[in-house]
Amino acid sequence: MINRKIYTRRLSAVRRLMKRGRVGAMLLTSPHNVRYCSGFTGEDSFLLVGRRWVRLLTDGRFAEQARIECPHVKAIVRAGRMVDTVRDALAGRKVRFLGIEGDSMTVALRARLEKALGGVRIKPLSGEVESLRQVKDAGELAAIRRAVRTAEKAFRALVAGGARNFIGRSERRIAAELEYQMRLAGASAASFETIVAAGAHSALPHYRPGGTKIRRGDAVLIDFGAVVDGYCSDLTRVVFVGTIPPKFARIYEIVRLGQAAGIKAVRPGATCGSVDAAARAVISDAGYGEAFAHGLGHGLGLEVHEGPSLGRAVKQRLRAGMVVTVEPGIYLPGVGGVRIEDDVAVTGDGAEKLSTLSRRIEDMVLR
Ligand code: ZN
Ligand code: ZN
Protein backbone atom coordinates (compact mmCIF):
# COMPACT_ATOMS: atom_id res chain seq x y z
CA MET A 1 0.00 0.00 0.00
CA ILE A 2 1.22 3.50 -0.79
CA ASN A 3 1.60 5.74 2.20
CA ARG A 4 0.61 9.13 0.82
CA LYS A 5 1.34 10.87 4.09
CA ILE A 6 5.07 10.26 3.68
CA TYR A 7 5.13 12.08 0.36
CA THR A 8 2.91 14.90 1.60
CA ARG A 9 5.38 15.42 4.43
CA ARG A 10 8.41 15.33 2.13
CA LEU A 11 6.82 17.75 -0.33
CA SER A 12 6.01 20.14 2.51
CA ALA A 13 9.69 20.07 3.46
CA VAL A 14 10.67 20.78 -0.15
CA ARG A 15 8.24 23.73 -0.20
CA ARG A 16 9.84 25.14 2.93
CA LEU A 17 13.20 24.99 1.14
CA MET A 18 11.63 26.67 -1.90
CA LYS A 19 10.40 29.48 0.29
CA ARG A 20 13.86 29.93 1.78
CA GLY A 21 15.42 29.83 -1.69
CA ARG A 22 12.78 32.33 -2.95
CA VAL A 23 11.60 30.23 -5.86
CA GLY A 24 7.99 29.70 -6.95
CA ALA A 25 8.61 26.17 -8.17
CA MET A 26 11.34 23.56 -8.02
CA LEU A 27 12.36 21.09 -10.72
CA LEU A 28 13.70 17.84 -9.27
CA THR A 29 15.86 16.02 -11.80
CA SER A 30 17.91 13.62 -9.67
CA PRO A 31 16.18 10.21 -9.90
CA HIS A 32 16.81 9.61 -6.19
CA ASN A 33 15.15 12.91 -5.28
CA VAL A 34 12.22 12.29 -7.66
CA ARG A 35 11.72 8.92 -5.98
CA TYR A 36 12.08 10.37 -2.49
CA CYS A 37 9.42 13.01 -3.10
CA SER A 38 6.94 10.97 -5.18
CA GLY A 39 7.60 7.24 -4.90
CA PHE A 40 8.18 6.96 -8.65
CA THR A 41 11.12 4.66 -9.43
CA GLY A 42 11.32 4.94 -13.24
CA GLU A 43 13.88 6.79 -15.30
CA ASP A 44 14.04 9.95 -17.41
CA SER A 45 11.31 11.67 -15.40
CA PHE A 46 11.32 14.94 -13.50
CA LEU A 47 9.19 16.16 -10.62
CA LEU A 48 7.98 19.73 -10.82
CA VAL A 49 6.95 21.01 -7.40
CA GLY A 50 4.88 24.18 -7.05
CA ARG A 51 3.62 25.95 -3.93
CA ARG A 52 0.30 24.07 -4.00
CA TRP A 53 0.70 21.63 -6.87
CA VAL A 54 3.04 18.94 -8.14
CA ARG A 55 3.48 17.20 -11.51
CA LEU A 56 5.47 14.18 -12.59
CA LEU A 57 6.85 14.81 -16.07
CA THR A 58 7.36 11.48 -17.74
CA ASP A 59 6.92 9.73 -21.10
CA GLY A 60 4.84 6.91 -22.55
CA ARG A 61 7.17 4.15 -21.37
CA PHE A 62 6.48 5.05 -17.75
CA ALA A 63 2.84 6.18 -17.80
CA GLU A 64 1.47 2.95 -16.32
CA GLN A 65 4.29 2.68 -13.80
CA ALA A 66 3.57 6.24 -12.64
CA ARG A 67 -0.12 5.41 -12.22
CA ILE A 68 0.75 2.42 -10.02
CA GLU A 69 3.63 3.90 -8.01
CA CYS A 70 2.36 7.41 -7.40
CA PRO A 71 -1.38 7.73 -8.01
CA HIS A 72 -1.29 10.75 -5.66
CA VAL A 73 0.77 12.77 -8.18
CA LYS A 74 -0.68 14.03 -11.46
CA ALA A 75 1.50 12.83 -14.30
CA ILE A 76 2.10 14.65 -17.57
CA VAL A 77 2.99 12.14 -20.26
CA ARG A 78 5.06 14.14 -22.66
CA ALA A 79 5.20 13.63 -26.41
CA GLY A 80 7.66 16.43 -27.18
CA ARG A 81 10.84 17.66 -25.52
CA MET A 82 11.16 17.62 -21.74
CA VAL A 83 12.09 21.31 -21.58
CA ASP A 84 8.93 22.29 -23.49
CA THR A 85 6.89 20.14 -21.11
CA VAL A 86 8.39 22.04 -18.18
CA ARG A 87 7.49 25.34 -19.89
CA ASP A 88 3.90 24.23 -20.56
CA ALA A 89 3.46 22.95 -17.00
CA LEU A 90 4.56 26.34 -15.66
CA ALA A 91 2.37 28.35 -18.04
CA GLY A 92 -0.07 30.64 -16.26
CA ARG A 93 1.26 29.80 -12.79
CA LYS A 94 3.03 33.11 -12.21
CA VAL A 95 6.36 31.50 -11.36
CA ARG A 96 9.18 34.03 -11.69
CA PHE A 97 12.01 31.86 -10.36
CA LEU A 98 12.37 28.13 -10.94
CA GLY A 99 14.74 26.27 -8.61
CA ILE A 100 16.88 23.59 -10.22
CA GLU A 101 19.20 20.98 -8.74
CA GLY A 102 22.58 22.52 -9.37
CA ASP A 103 24.41 19.42 -8.15
CA SER A 104 23.05 17.12 -10.82
CA MET A 105 21.66 19.07 -13.79
CA THR A 106 24.02 19.15 -16.75
CA VAL A 107 25.18 22.43 -18.25
CA ALA A 108 23.59 21.40 -21.57
CA LEU A 109 20.16 20.75 -20.05
CA ARG A 110 20.28 24.00 -18.16
CA ALA A 111 21.00 25.88 -21.39
CA ARG A 112 18.11 24.18 -23.20
CA LEU A 113 15.78 24.83 -20.27
CA GLU A 114 16.76 28.47 -20.04
CA LYS A 115 16.06 28.92 -23.75
CA ALA A 116 12.69 27.14 -23.58
CA LEU A 117 11.46 28.95 -20.46
CA GLY A 118 11.85 32.47 -21.77
CA GLY A 119 10.49 34.69 -18.99
CA VAL A 120 11.03 32.31 -16.04
CA ARG A 121 14.44 32.77 -14.39
CA ILE A 122 16.44 29.76 -13.27
CA LYS A 123 17.97 29.59 -9.83
CA PRO A 124 20.32 26.70 -9.04
CA LEU A 125 19.91 25.36 -5.52
CA SER A 126 22.35 22.89 -4.03
CA GLY A 127 21.83 19.81 -1.85
CA GLU A 128 18.35 20.86 -0.70
CA VAL A 129 16.52 17.55 -0.99
CA GLU A 130 19.69 15.66 -0.12
CA SER A 131 19.73 17.41 3.24
CA LEU A 132 16.17 16.22 3.92
CA ARG A 133 17.16 12.69 2.96
CA GLN A 134 19.81 12.51 5.68
CA VAL A 135 17.22 11.83 8.39
CA LYS A 136 15.43 8.57 7.72
CA ASP A 137 11.88 7.69 8.69
CA ALA A 138 10.78 4.29 10.02
CA GLY A 139 10.09 2.87 6.57
CA GLU A 140 13.49 3.90 5.28
CA LEU A 141 15.23 2.44 8.33
CA ALA A 142 13.39 -0.82 7.77
CA ALA A 143 14.56 -0.90 4.13
CA ILE A 144 18.18 -0.24 5.15
CA ARG A 145 17.90 -3.04 7.72
CA ARG A 146 16.74 -5.38 4.95
CA ALA A 147 19.65 -4.26 2.76
CA VAL A 148 22.09 -4.97 5.59
CA ARG A 149 20.56 -8.36 6.33
CA THR A 150 20.68 -9.32 2.65
CA ALA A 151 24.36 -8.38 2.28
CA GLU A 152 25.20 -10.25 5.47
CA LYS A 153 23.37 -13.36 4.35
CA ALA A 154 25.37 -13.34 1.11
CA PHE A 155 28.67 -12.83 2.95
CA ARG A 156 27.90 -15.73 5.27
CA ALA A 157 27.14 -17.93 2.28
CA LEU A 158 30.42 -16.87 0.63
CA VAL A 159 32.62 -17.73 3.61
CA ALA A 160 30.67 -20.86 4.59
CA GLY A 161 32.70 -22.89 2.11
CA GLY A 162 35.91 -21.97 3.96
CA ALA A 163 39.40 -21.45 2.53
CA ARG A 164 38.71 -24.01 -0.21
CA ASN A 165 36.29 -21.59 -1.88
CA PHE A 166 38.96 -18.86 -2.03
CA ILE A 167 42.26 -20.57 -2.81
CA GLY A 168 43.13 -20.50 -6.53
CA ARG A 169 40.18 -18.24 -7.37
CA SER A 170 40.60 -14.71 -8.67
CA GLU A 171 39.50 -11.60 -6.82
CA ARG A 172 37.04 -10.98 -9.64
CA ARG A 173 35.53 -14.44 -9.23
CA ILE A 174 35.03 -13.92 -5.48
CA ALA A 175 33.38 -10.54 -6.17
CA ALA A 176 31.06 -12.15 -8.73
CA GLU A 177 30.22 -14.94 -6.28
CA LEU A 178 29.32 -12.47 -3.53
CA GLU A 179 27.19 -10.34 -5.87
CA TYR A 180 25.41 -13.49 -7.08
CA GLN A 181 24.70 -14.49 -3.48
CA MET A 182 23.33 -11.00 -2.79
CA ARG A 183 20.98 -11.32 -5.76
CA LEU A 184 19.88 -14.76 -4.57
CA ALA A 185 19.18 -13.29 -1.14
CA GLY A 186 16.86 -10.68 -2.67
CA ALA A 187 19.03 -7.69 -3.60
CA SER A 188 18.00 -5.80 -6.74
CA ALA A 189 21.66 -4.90 -7.27
CA ALA A 190 24.97 -4.42 -5.51
CA SER A 191 25.12 -0.92 -4.01
CA PHE A 192 28.50 -0.40 -5.74
CA GLU A 193 31.17 -2.47 -7.49
CA THR A 194 32.21 -5.03 -4.91
CA ILE A 195 35.82 -4.67 -3.78
CA VAL A 196 37.81 -7.88 -3.28
CA ALA A 197 41.47 -7.07 -2.64
CA ALA A 198 43.94 -9.84 -1.90
CA GLY A 199 47.26 -9.45 -0.11
CA ALA A 200 49.05 -6.16 -0.79
CA HIS A 201 46.12 -4.95 -2.93
CA SER A 202 44.18 -4.40 0.29
CA ALA A 203 46.38 -1.35 0.90
CA LEU A 204 44.42 0.48 -1.84
CA PRO A 205 41.16 1.69 -0.26
CA HIS A 206 39.32 1.78 -3.63
CA TYR A 207 40.92 -1.18 -5.38
CA ARG A 208 39.16 -2.81 -8.36
CA PRO A 209 39.21 -6.61 -8.22
CA GLY A 210 41.33 -8.19 -10.94
CA GLY A 211 42.65 -11.54 -12.09
CA THR A 212 44.98 -12.08 -9.12
CA LYS A 213 44.53 -15.56 -7.70
CA ILE A 214 44.04 -15.86 -3.98
CA ARG A 215 46.58 -17.99 -2.09
CA ARG A 216 46.70 -19.62 1.31
CA GLY A 217 47.91 -17.10 3.88
CA ASP A 218 46.40 -14.10 2.05
CA ALA A 219 44.40 -11.45 3.80
CA VAL A 220 41.40 -10.54 1.59
CA LEU A 221 39.56 -7.25 2.06
CA ILE A 222 35.94 -7.42 0.93
CA ASP A 223 33.84 -4.22 0.71
CA PHE A 224 30.28 -4.86 -0.43
CA GLY A 225 26.66 -3.83 -0.13
CA ALA A 226 23.18 -4.70 -1.34
CA VAL A 227 20.30 -2.60 -2.64
CA VAL A 228 16.91 -3.67 -1.31
CA ASP A 229 13.76 -1.64 -2.02
CA GLY A 230 15.99 1.17 -3.28
CA TYR A 231 18.07 1.43 -0.12
CA CYS A 232 21.75 0.54 0.27
CA SER A 233 23.96 -1.24 2.76
CA ASP A 234 27.76 -0.94 2.86
CA LEU A 235 30.00 -3.33 4.81
CA THR A 236 33.67 -4.30 4.87
CA ARG A 237 35.39 -7.32 6.36
CA VAL A 238 38.90 -8.70 6.02
CA VAL A 239 39.11 -12.48 5.93
CA PHE A 240 42.27 -14.54 6.35
CA VAL A 241 42.71 -17.56 4.13
CA GLY A 242 43.98 -20.33 6.42
CA THR A 243 46.23 -18.23 8.63
CA ILE A 244 46.64 -14.64 9.77
CA PRO A 245 49.74 -13.01 8.21
CA PRO A 246 51.96 -11.81 11.12
CA LYS A 247 51.75 -8.11 10.24
CA PHE A 248 47.96 -8.14 10.10
CA ALA A 249 47.13 -9.31 13.62
CA ARG A 250 48.25 -6.06 15.23
CA ILE A 251 46.75 -3.62 12.72
CA TYR A 252 43.48 -5.57 12.67
CA GLU A 253 43.15 -5.19 16.42
CA ILE A 254 43.90 -1.45 16.28
CA VAL A 255 41.31 -0.90 13.55
CA ARG A 256 38.75 -2.95 15.49
CA LEU A 257 39.32 -0.88 18.64
CA GLY A 258 39.25 2.34 16.62
CA GLN A 259 35.93 1.34 15.09
CA ALA A 260 34.47 0.48 18.50
CA ALA A 261 35.50 3.93 19.78
CA GLY A 262 33.92 5.54 16.70
CA ILE A 263 30.64 3.67 17.09
CA LYS A 264 30.57 4.56 20.78
CA ALA A 265 30.87 8.26 19.90
CA VAL A 266 27.82 8.15 17.59
CA ARG A 267 24.86 9.88 19.27
CA PRO A 268 22.49 12.72 18.49
CA GLY A 269 24.14 16.10 18.96
CA ALA A 270 27.69 14.83 18.46
CA THR A 271 29.56 16.58 15.67
CA CYS A 272 30.63 14.37 12.77
CA GLY A 273 34.20 15.50 13.36
CA SER A 274 34.13 14.33 16.98
CA VAL A 275 33.09 10.82 15.89
CA ASP A 276 35.94 10.73 13.37
CA ALA A 277 38.32 12.00 16.07
CA ALA A 278 37.29 9.30 18.55
CA ALA A 279 38.27 6.53 16.13
CA ARG A 280 41.28 8.36 14.76
CA ALA A 281 42.75 8.89 18.24
CA VAL A 282 42.97 5.12 18.80
CA ILE A 283 44.75 4.61 15.48
CA SER A 284 47.07 7.63 15.89
CA ASP A 285 47.99 6.65 19.44
CA ALA A 286 49.06 3.24 18.11
CA GLY A 287 51.35 5.00 15.64
CA TYR A 288 49.29 4.53 12.47
CA GLY A 289 47.71 7.97 12.11
CA GLU A 290 49.33 8.52 8.70
CA ALA A 291 48.09 5.14 7.48
CA PHE A 292 44.41 6.13 8.00
CA ALA A 293 44.08 8.61 5.17
CA HIS A 294 40.31 8.84 4.66
CA GLY A 295 37.30 10.02 6.64
CA LEU A 296 35.66 7.69 9.15
CA GLY A 297 32.39 7.21 7.32
CA HIS A 298 29.45 8.56 5.35
CA GLY A 299 25.69 8.65 5.31
CA LEU A 300 23.76 5.84 3.66
CA GLY A 301 20.31 5.62 2.12
CA LEU A 302 18.95 5.75 -1.43
CA GLU A 303 22.56 6.37 -2.39
CA VAL A 304 25.51 4.49 -0.98
CA HIS A 305 27.36 7.73 -0.32
CA GLU A 306 25.27 10.58 1.02
CA GLY A 307 25.44 13.06 3.85
CA PRO A 308 26.45 13.45 6.57
CA SER A 309 30.16 12.96 6.10
CA LEU A 310 32.00 11.66 9.15
CA GLY A 311 35.16 13.50 8.15
CA ARG A 312 37.86 15.28 10.04
CA ALA A 313 36.71 18.58 11.58
CA VAL A 314 33.19 18.37 10.08
CA LYS A 315 31.02 20.57 12.32
CA GLN A 316 27.62 19.19 11.29
CA ARG A 317 25.82 17.52 14.19
CA LEU A 318 24.29 14.06 14.05
CA ARG A 319 20.53 13.74 14.43
CA ALA A 320 18.32 10.81 15.36
CA GLY A 321 17.36 8.93 12.20
CA MET A 322 20.63 9.44 10.38
CA VAL A 323 22.39 6.29 9.19
CA VAL A 324 26.15 6.32 8.81
CA THR A 325 28.97 3.91 8.12
CA VAL A 326 31.86 3.66 10.56
CA GLU A 327 34.87 2.40 8.62
CA PRO A 328 38.34 3.16 9.91
CA GLY A 329 41.31 1.58 8.16
CA ILE A 330 45.06 1.17 8.25
CA TYR A 331 46.81 0.86 4.88
CA LEU A 332 50.47 -0.11 4.58
CA PRO A 333 51.74 0.19 0.98
CA GLY A 334 53.28 -3.03 -0.25
CA VAL A 335 52.01 -4.94 2.78
CA GLY A 336 48.24 -4.63 2.83
CA GLY A 337 45.41 -2.97 4.64
CA VAL A 338 42.60 -3.56 7.08
CA ARG A 339 39.26 -1.77 7.07
CA ILE A 340 36.24 -2.76 9.13
CA GLU A 341 32.97 -1.15 8.11
CA ASP A 342 29.56 -1.34 9.75
CA ASP A 343 26.29 0.55 9.36
CA VAL A 344 24.98 2.45 12.36
CA ALA A 345 21.72 4.29 12.94
CA VAL A 346 21.64 7.34 15.20
CA THR A 347 18.87 6.80 17.78
CA GLY A 348 17.23 9.15 20.27
CA ASP A 349 19.95 8.59 22.83
CA GLY A 350 22.86 6.88 21.10
CA ALA A 351 23.45 4.48 18.25
CA GLU A 352 22.18 1.17 17.00
CA LYS A 353 24.46 -1.15 15.05
CA LEU A 354 22.47 -2.37 12.09
CA SER A 355 25.05 -4.91 10.98
CA THR A 356 25.67 -8.08 12.93
CA LEU A 357 28.67 -9.79 11.27
CA SER A 358 31.39 -10.67 13.74
CA ARG A 359 34.39 -8.34 13.97
CA ARG A 360 36.55 -10.71 16.03
CA ILE A 361 39.73 -11.67 14.21
CA GLU A 362 39.35 -15.36 15.15
CA ASP A 363 36.04 -15.43 13.30
CA MET A 364 37.67 -13.98 10.16
CA VAL A 365 40.00 -16.94 9.61
CA LEU A 366 38.75 -19.27 6.88
CA ARG A 367 39.72 -22.86 7.56
ZN1 ZN B 1 32.20 0.16 1.87
ZN1 ZN C 1 31.49 3.02 2.95
Side-chain angles (χ1 to χ4, degrees):
M1 210 197 64
I2 292 154
N3 189 344
R4 279 174 194 225
K5 266 193 208 147
I6 289 174
Y7 300 109
T8 310
R9 202 163 54 224
R10 290 176 186 173
L11 285 174
S12 304
V14 171
R15 287 176 177 127
R16 279 196 295 276
L17 297 173
M18 283 162 45
K19 208 164 176 187
R20 222 174 52 196
R22 295 164 188 269
V23 295
M26 174 94 196
L27 183 64
L28 301 183
T29 47
S30 139
H32 295 298
N33 291 344
V34 170
R35 174 180 188 147
Y36 184 75
C37 294
S38 71
F40 178 73
T41 68
E43 292 150 30
D44 300 329
S45 303
F46 295 170
L47 195 70
L48 187 58
V49 185
R51 292 259 164 87
R52 280 186 195 80
W53 53 273
V54 58
R55 295 287 180 274
L56 180 75
L57 313 180
T58 188
D59 62 63
R61 296 170 295 162
F62 298 108
E64 178 63 4
Q65 187 176 340
R67 204 184 57 77
I68 295 166
E69 290 183 336
C70 47
H72 48 287
V73 177
K74 259 192 201 161
I76 298 176
V77 180
R78 67 185 173 90
R81 295 192 313 162
M82 179 63 103
V83 290
D84 299 328
T85 313
V86 175
R87 179 201 57 213
D88 295 347
L90 287 173
R93 292 196 186 272
K94 300 202 176 83
V95 172
R96 284 176 50 219
F97 288 94
L98 172 68
I100 58 166
E101 296 194 283
D103 294 327
S104 57
M105 184 179 284
T106 63
V107 174
L109 178 58
R110 184 197 161 137
R112 280 202 300 279
L113 190 62
E114 214 143 37
K115 215 169 155 192
L117 287 184
V120 182
R121 301 261 299 276
I122 283 175
K123 191 165 176 186
L125 302 174
S126 176
E128 301 286 323
V129 180
E130 283 82 353
S131 70
L132 299 176
R133 278 171 38 198
Q134 290 188 9
V135 174
K136 274 73 185 176
D137 63 31
E140 294 183 285
L141 281 171
I144 294 172
R145 276 198 184 88
R146 288 195 291 278
V148 170
R149 223 180 298 138
T150 302
E152 291 191 331
K153 192 175 173 194
F155 182 81
R156 289 192 174 106
L158 177 75
V159 299
R164 199 161 35 93
N165 273 3
F166 280 69
I167 294 167
R169 290 189 174 162
S170 68
E171 297 166 332
R172 224 171 0 233
R173 161 77 192 262
I174 298 297
E177 187 77 37
L178 182 54
E179 290 183 9
Y180 175 62
Q181 290 294 345
M182 288 199 283
R183 297 297 291 262
L184 288 183
S188 60
S191 1
F192 54 90
E193 270 184 58
T194 302
I195 297 172
V196 175
H201 293 157
S202 55
L204 286 78
H206 278 248
Y207 178 74
R208 272 221 172 81
T212 306
K213 296 264 197 304
I214 291 163
R215 295 172 306 185
R216 180 170 291 280
D218 271 347
V220 184
L221 184 149
I222 306 174
D223 189 344
F224 61 106
V227 181
V228 175
D229 298 327
Y231 284 80
C232 300
S233 56
D234 184 7
L235 303 165
T236 304
R237 286 294 182 270
V238 174
V239 297
F240 302 100
V241 184
T243 56
I244 303 170
K247 284 192 174 139
F248 277 78
R250 183 171 144 75
I251 61 171
Y252 188 97
E253 203 50 21
I254 296 163
V255 171
R256 193 182 65 80
L257 292 172
Q259 196 210 26
I263 293 173
K264 214 174 148 197
V266 173
R267 61 186 147 70
T271 64
C272 293
S274 73
V275 178
D276 176 276
R280 199 170 294 280
V282 172
I283 291 170
S284 299
D285 289 352
Y288 290 99
E290 304 267 291
F292 175 23
H294 56 72
L296 182 65
H298 52 85
L300 193 65
L302 286 170
E303 286 176 278
V304 71
H305 290 118
E306 34 178 79
S309 157
L310 295 187
R312 270 194 236 210
V314 173
K315 292 197 176 68
Q316 187 186 354
R317 287 182 191 278
L318 292 175
R319 289 168 59 192
M322 287 178 167
V323 177
V324 292
T325 68
V326 178
E327 49 176 312
I330 293 179
Y331 310 94
L332 307 174
V335 178
V338 168
R339 174 167 68 252
I340 307 173
E341 176 176 27
D342 284 285
D343 303 337
V344 176
V346 184
T347 62
D349 57 359
E352 181 200 341
K353 285 179 223 162
L354 302 179
S355 34
T356 62
L357 292 177
S358 172
R359 302 173 189 86
R360 295 178 355 163
I361 193 165
E362 311 87 272
D363 296 335
M364 294 298 120
V365 184
L366 305 177
R367 307 281 176 196

